[in-house]
Structures are given as structure tokens and as C-alpha cells.
Amino acid sequence: MKLVKSIRLKYIMCLLSVSILPVLFFGVYTEFNNNTFYNKQVESASRNEIHRISSDINRNYEDVRDLISSLIFSTYDNINCITNIAQQEGGEKEPTYSRRLKNYRMFKYVCSNLLENASHADGVYLFCSNGHVYSYMKNLDYGIERTYKTDQWYQELTESKNSVEIAKFVELKKNLYGQGKECFLAARKFKNIKDNGYTVLAVVCKNTFFDNIKEENSLPWGTSVIVDEKGNVIYGSDTKGYDFSALKLSDKKKQGIIHNLNDKTQAAAYSELDFNNWRVVSVLSLKSFYDNYVHNRRIMFLLLGMDLIFVLFISLWMERQAISPIVHLAKIMDNVSDQNFQFNNEYKGRQDEIGILYADYEKMLNQIDMLIKEKYESQINILKSRLRNLTSQINSHFLFNTLENISCLAQLEGNKQIVIMTKSLGDMLRYTMDIDGDYITLEKEIGQMQRYLNIQEVRFGNEIKLELDLEEGVSKRKVMKYMLQPIVENAIEHGMSGKEFPWKLLITAKHEGNDMYIVVKDNGTGMDEKTLECVRKRIYDKTEQEEEEKYFNIGLKNIHERIQLLFTEKYGMWIDSNPEEGTTVTLHVPWI
């Protein structure tokens, strides 16, 4: 049983659970699952890369579509440029040479403005229903206007009843200007009102449209191309003879990974584009990656062996440096009663936590020995204190009797003011000399405050009106002694004494959950913001105050500090005031 509770056994179990066993488990698990794990990582990275490429191409295509829409609805001198030209060319009479020249200038102005910020558009063609063509090129002349009527893309677009736009690679018949063998073109048709013919607006895209295919792939084991629905490569190269037509691409999934059943080290990642059912396909070769995995596995086993040796070394060192001193100290503490508080600190030279632990235990034993010696002196002091309290009560009884005699003489003489003052003063002294505990009911505390008001009424020759608004059950709850009278005294001395009669005091008390709130409000002169902040600082500031400020508002500061000492810093006092509206003091105490 003692072995089970031993810290050495717990240390060994913790060591096995947090270091050796996890390392062994991790090694076995990694060896068993690493191949699948790495394949999944490759597939995940491939999906992300292929998705990035397709997203960039889709975004480029969407920009071109937006450009076409902007061109169709563009205006020049409040005239819809494109549709106006189409209506003129589709009319019964062909526009004059000067009219067409003006139309071309208008067309060029609109196209140049819109293509200025179009990063992937290189030119615009407007194929009118009467066969006339307007064109604007930023850089190269593609010569599409020469053969467009026989081009497949134009025939498909104009003859289709369901489609109003098309995106195709267009073969260039002549390569006079170094523009290449083909270009990518996006076009949209719209119908003329006059001749019911179609006008086609086409945007020729730069070679940068598919730069994401040409750029160096961030996947070193893959190469990307664009294929059509039948698996024919329509853009891209360096496929190393891969048969894309043999791929069984899913029509339901827009992206995925297809493994080659004949070659486990080869796969293809694909992602569908938003137009023409084209797909971006990336060929993945996993052979070099698998060879790298085998090499990493050997390194991993070597590191695991080194890790186990290191863990064992650290464990032995920790047992010697930490566990043995703790076990030794536990034995000493178990036999401390037999050693008569004598302790030999064997680790006095250590500066770490073990040295601190031994030093603090030695200090604790010395303090216990000193406290035992001081206990008798403390008991003697307590007895002396009780004797002084009894003597004080005897003196207080003499003072009470004297005040009673003065009150009787004043009553015989008919001086009611002296009777009230002596009676109230005697009750206040009796309340002050009551040493039984720090708490009293709110009802008695208000009674003590009322006796103070009786004396002040005689002093100022005026009635101080007191209004009480106490929630049911609050008056029987306990509060801190001597809590209200200093607040009322402060209200009279600093607030109401400088104001004409009548003087009023309102005391409200309510409870919320486990807390009670007591509010004392007067109708005195109040304070401005600057004075209020100064008073608050004197109450709440715990730093040493200057001599002239030390006794100002000392009663309020005393109340706030006593509340926090008795009930924690969650509770306390808060003061608010406005000039000529009086001052409000709120006490926050527990509901006891």
C-alpha cells in the first residue's frame, strides 16, 4: 500500500504515460499509417492547387464577361454606343462613310476606356448582322474578321437557340504579326430590332488568360492541362504521353482525385471550370515521393531510438535531482515530532525550488518554535486586555451615571434641550462602549444615527427631517457598526450647514441577490466635479497622503476601508454629488 502511494511510483507511471509510451505508440502508428497519410496529404495539396488554378481561370473569365456587359451598355454622349451601331448597321439603308467613321470613333473611344483596366483583354470585335465589322486592338491584329463567318465558334453561336454566349479557342489562319496559332475568345450575341438579325460582340483575350497553367506549378510532382468533355487536351503541354481520354471523370463531382489502377504511383487531380464543361487536370507522380517517405521512415526510427535513450537519461537525472530530495523531506516531516523541531538542511547550497522548499521548511520549524514560546505571552496580554476593558466599562458607568444626573437636573429646571442632548449623548456612549462583535442590525445603527441627529438639532436650533425608505426585512439584517453616523456627520458639516433650512436626509435600503445597498442622500450644497474627484481620491487612494489632507473626510475613508477589510474588496462605498442638488453616498455590503 505504501508503494502504491509513493511519489517514485507515480513519477515512473507519469513518465511512461507522457513520454515513453506515447513515443512507442507514435512510432508504431506512424509506421503503420504513414503511407496512407502522405498520400492523403499529397491529394489534399493537389486539390488545393488545382482548385486555385481553376478559381483563377474562372475569375479571369468572369472579368471578361463583365467587360462584355459593360461594352454592350456603355454610352457615348448619352447614346448607347454598341446597340446604336448595331441598329444602324441592321437598318434598310447602310450607314454612310462619314456615319461609319463617326461610329468607329465612338466605338474606339468606348473600347479604349474599358480595355484600359482590363488585364486579360487584348481586343474587341463587333460583328454586325449586315456583315460589317468594327474592331479595336490594344496590341496585335488577329485577323479574325477575315474568316469569322466560316469559323465554327461563330456558326455555333448564331445558330444556337439556347445559348447567347460562347468561349472558344479560335484558330488563326495567318500568323502575320506573331500572335500565335490560336487565341482564346469570348463572345455574346444580341438581336437587332430592325432586321431580326444577330450582332455579335467578341472579346479576344491575351495569352495571360491561362498563365496559371503555364506558370511553374507549386506542386513539384504534377503538371496541369485543360481538357474538354471528351478528354482532349485543348491547352497545355508536357503531359509525357498521358492518356487523358482514358480518365473516368465524374460528371457529378466538380473536383476530385483519380488513381491509375495500372500504376499505383500515378494519379490525376481535376477541377471543373465554370464554362464549356472544361476541366483543369494535373498529373501526379507519387514515386519520388514514396522513395522520400522510405528515407524519412528510417530517420524517424533512428530519432525514436535516440529519444528513448534521452528520456531514460533525463528520468534518472530528474529522480536524483527532484524525487529523492522530496522523498527525503517527507521522511523528515513524518518524524519531526521525535526531533524536537531540530532540522539539518542538507540542500542549503541549492538555489532552485528544492533549495527553497528545504529553506522554507527550516524557516517554518523555527517560526513554530518561536510561536510556541510566544503563546504564553499572548495569553497573558489577552488577560490584560480584558482587564482594561472591564476597567473602561467601570469608568463608562460612572460617566453614564453623571449624564443621567445632569439630565435629571435639567428636567427639574425645565431645560428640554439639555435633557435631549444628555440623553442622546449617554445612549451614544453606551452604543460605542458595546464591544460584542463588529456587526449590528440596520435598525439599531439607524437608532444610533437618530440620537446623533437629536444632538445636532439642539446645536443648530432646527429640525433635521429624516425620511426612511427601507425594503421589507432589511432593517433586521446585520451591517457594520458605526457606519451611518460618520456619513450623516459629513453631510451636516460640509453640505447642509452652508444652506438655509429645511435640512433633509433620505435613507433607502434594498437588497439584490446576496448584496444590500444603503443610500444616504442629503439636500445640501453639493459639490462640483473637481471637488468631487478630489474627495473620491482622498477616499479611495491608498497611498500616503499629505499632512493637511490626512484628516479631511477621514470618516468616509474609514468606512470604505472597514467595509473592504470585513467583506473583501468587492464591497465598499461610492459617492456622487451635483452642485445645489446635494450629495448621495451608496454603501454596498453583503446580505447577512
Side-chain angles (χ1 to χ4, degrees):
M1 189 67 180
K2 199 169 184 179
L3 180 62
V4 175
K5 295 182 179 180
S6 171
I7 191 172
R8 275 198 175 96
L9 179 61
K10 294 177 181 178
Y11 170 71
I12 294 173
M13 296 300 294
C14 288
L15 180 65
L16 289 173
S17 62
V18 303
S19 59
I20 298 177
L21 290 180
V23 168
L24 293 174
F25 174 78
F26 175 75
V28 174
Y29 177 81
T30 303
E31 168 62 18
F32 184 75
N33 294 289
N34 237 359
N35 194 20
T36 303
F37 172 77
Y38 281 123
N39 283 341
K40 287 182 178 179
Q41 293 301 308
V42 173
E43 291 179 3
S44 176
S46 301
R47 284 193 184 96
N48 293 336
E49 178 65 14
I50 208 74
H51 178 70
R52 182 191 67 80
I53 295 173
S54 61
S55 296
D56 289 344
I57 295 175
N58 289 332
R59 184 165 52 250
N60 294 342
Y61 181 67
E62 198 61 35
D63 291 342
V64 172
R65 292 186 66 195
D66 293 341
L67 174 61
I68 294 175
S69 299
S70 300
L71 288 167
I72 292 175
F73 294 103
S74 61
T75 59
Y76 180 86
D77 286 342
N78 296 324
I79 298 174
N80 194 307
C81 175
I82 302 298
T83 56
N84 182 264
I85 293 174
Q87 297 303 326
Q88 290 182 31
E89 297 291 346
E92 294 180 358
K93 294 178 62 178
E94 286 191 359
T96 63
Y97 176 79
S98 61
R99 179 70 259 179
R100 279 179 172 169
L101 181 60
K102 185 177 180 180
N103 287 347
Y104 176 73
R105 290 174 180 171
M106 183 169 56
F107 179 78
K108 180 180 178 181
Y109 174 80
V110 169
C111 291
S112 62
N113 285 340
L114 290 177
L115 264 66
E116 183 70 26
N117 298 321
S119 58
H120 300 291
D122 200 30
V124 180
Y125 286 95
L126 182 64
F127 302 102
C128 300
S129 58
N130 63 353
H132 191 78
V133 179
Y134 291 82
S135 65
Y136 171 78
M137 297 293 125
K138 288 172 67 175
N139 297 306
L140 300 175
D141 184 6
Y142 291 88
I144 298 176
E145 71 277 7
R146 299 183 181 91
T147 59
Y148 75 94
K149 289 184 179 180
T150 59
D151 286 344
Q152 182 181 1
W153 70 269
Y154 185 81
Q155 293 177 358
E156 286 183 13
L157 179 61
T158 54
E159 294 174 4
S160 174
K161 296 181 179 180
N162 299 323
S163 177
V164 296
E165 61 183 21
I166 195 170
K168 290 285 186 179
F169 280 99
V170 178
E171 183 180 356
L172 301 178
K173 304 300 182 182
K174 296 182 179 181
N175 187 13
L176 300 177
Y177 308 99
Q179 65 267 57
K181 295 181 179 180
E182 60 181 6
C183 67
F184 181 71
L185 177 144
R188 186 181 301 175
K189 69 179 181 179
F190 54 93
K191 197 169 187 179
N192 295 334
I193 299 175
K194 294 185 178 180
D195 61 354
N196 290 326
Y198 286 105
T199 299
V200 177
L201 182 66
V203 173
V204 180
C205 298
K206 297 179 182 178
N207 292 333
T208 59
F209 191 90
F210 294 101
D211 270 358
N212 290 315
I213 297 292
K214 292 182 178 180
E215 289 176 357
E216 183 179 353
N217 201 322
S218 63
L219 300 176
W221 52 86
T223 180
S224 299
V225 296
I226 296 178
V227 300
D228 60 13
E229 294 175 292
K230 298 178 180 179
N232 299 319
V233 177
I234 58 176
Y235 191 86
S237 59
D238 193 22
T239 57
K240 298 179 181 179
Y242 195 89
D243 185 11
F244 291 98
S245 60
L247 288 175
K248 296 181 179 180
L249 302 178
S250 174
D251 294 331
K252 296 181 179 179
K253 294 182 180 180
K254 290 200 171 186
Q255 65 177 29
I257 301 288
I258 300 176
H259 292 276
N260 192 331
L261 298 178
N262 299 323
D263 188 353
K264 298 288 186 179
T265 63
Q266 202 172 56
Y270 70 92
S271 179
E272 185 176 327
L273 297 177
D274 292 342
F275 55 95
N276 295 346
N277 291 326
W278 291 353
R279 290 179 172 88
V280 179
V281 181
S282 181
V283 181
L284 309 177
S285 177
L286 307 179
K287 186 176 183 304
S288 61
F289 190 80
Y290 180 77
D291 294 339
N292 189 36
Y293 152 71
V294 173
H295 176 69
N296 291 338
R297 183 178 62 179
R298 293 171 182 168
I299 295 177
M300 183 192 69
F301 279 122
L302 178 62
L303 292 176
L304 286 176
M306 294 175 62
D307 182 64
L308 288 175
I309 296 173
F310 178 75
V311 168
L312 290 174
F313 174 77
I314 291 295
S315 302
L316 294 174
W317 182 80
M318 283 295 296
E319 202 281 336
R320 183 177 179 182
Q321 293 293 317
I323 304 301
S324 293
I326 293 175
V327 173
H328 180 62
L329 182 60
K331 292 179 179 179
I332 293 174
M333 294 173 69
D334 192 41
N335 301 321
V336 68
S337 58
D338 301 331
Q339 299 173 3
N340 196 21
F341 297 103
Q342 298 298 319
F343 177 65
N344 181 23
N345 189 352
E346 300 178 7
Y347 297 92
K348 187 171 289 186
R350 288 182 62 165
Q351 302 296 321
D352 57 3
E353 287 77 4
I354 296 296
I356 294 173
L357 184 63
Y358 270 75
D360 287 348
Y361 180 69
E362 182 180 19
K363 182 179 178 181
M364 182 188 69
L365 289 180
N366 294 334
Q367 288 178 344
I368 291 174
D369 189 41
M370 181 181 65
L371 289 173
I372 291 175
K373 293 177 181 179
E374 291 177 353
K375 181 178 179 180
Y376 299 105
E377 296 179 6
S378 176
Q379 289 178 343
I380 293 173
N381 290 332
I382 291 173
L383 292 175
K384 288 181 179 180
S385 177
R386 290 180 178 176
L387 181 61
R388 284 195 298 268
N389 287 335
L390 291 173
T391 305
S392 176
Q393 288 182 353
I394 293 171
N395 294 333
S396 298
H397 283 298
F398 171 74
L399 183 58
F400 296 152
N401 293 333
T402 303
L403 288 172
E404 284 292 332
N405 292 333
I406 294 174
S407 178
C408 292
L409 290 174
Q411 193 169 6
L412 292 174
E413 293 292 332
N415 194 330
K416 294 183 179 180
Q417 291 182 336
I418 295 178
V419 172
I420 293 173
M421 291 186 71
T422 54
K423 179 69 169 63
S424 298
L425 181 60
D427 291 341
M428 289 180 68
L429 287 173
R430 187 175 290 107
Y431 181 88
T432 304
M433 295 305 298
D434 185 3
I435 60 173
D436 294 335
D438 295 318
Y439 307 105
I440 198 168
T441 63
L442 178 61
E443 183 179 27
K444 291 184 179 180
E445 180 66 13
I446 292 176
Q448 168 72 354
M449 182 202 65
Q450 182 65 66
R451 287 187 283 272
Y452 172 77
L453 289 178
N454 292 338
I455 296 175
Q456 296 303 316
E457 286 177 348
V458 174
R459 173 189 172 191
F460 290 101
N462 176 66
E463 179 185 0
I464 302 175
K465 187 175 181 181
L466 175 64
E467 297 181 7
L468 299 177
D469 182 11
L470 307 180
E471 192 178 275
E472 184 178 357
V474 169
S475 60
K476 301 299 181 182
R477 312 306 296 191
K478 290 187 177 182
V479 297
M480 187 178 66
K481 277 186 176 181
Y482 320 119
M483 187 173 68
L484 295 179
Q485 185 250 320
I487 297 175
V488 173
E489 180 181 354
N490 194 75
I492 293 174
E493 295 295 334
H494 301 288
M496 294 190 294
S497 62
K499 188 176 180 180
E500 295 182 356
F501 302 126
W503 295 351
K504 294 181 181 179
L505 283 171
L506 173 62
I507 298 178
T508 60
K510 62 180 180 179
H511 88 280
E512 296 179 5
N514 295 324
D515 298 334
M516 179 164 61
Y517 295 90
I518 303 170
V519 182
V520 181
K521 179 176 177 57
D522 64 63
N523 66 338
T525 56
M527 293 176 281
D528 57 27
E529 188 67 27
K530 184 177 180 181
T531 305
L532 179 61
E533 286 300 321
C534 183
V535 171
R536 285 175 176 170
K537 182 178 180 182
R538 291 167 181 169
I539 293 173
Y540 305 126
D541 193 358
K542 295 183 179 181
T543 58
E544 187 68 23
Q545 298 180 359
E546 297 181 3
E547 190 65 28
E548 60 269 18
E549 297 180 351
K550 193 170 183 180
Y551 298 102
F552 189 79
N553 297 116
I554 190 172
L556 298 181
K557 182 178 180 67
N558 179 277
I559 293 171
H560 177 71
E561 291 181 350
R562 284 171 58 213
I563 289 175
Q564 292 196 333
L565 285 172
L566 288 173
F567 307 125
T568 74
E569 293 187 359
K570 172 186 175 182
Y571 303 94
M573 180 185 70
W574 184 253
I575 182 169
D576 288 298
S577 184
N578 290 308
E580 303 304 326
E581 294 183 10
T583 302
T584 302
V585 178
T586 303
L587 300 170
H588 180 200
V589 295
W591 178 258
I592 55 177

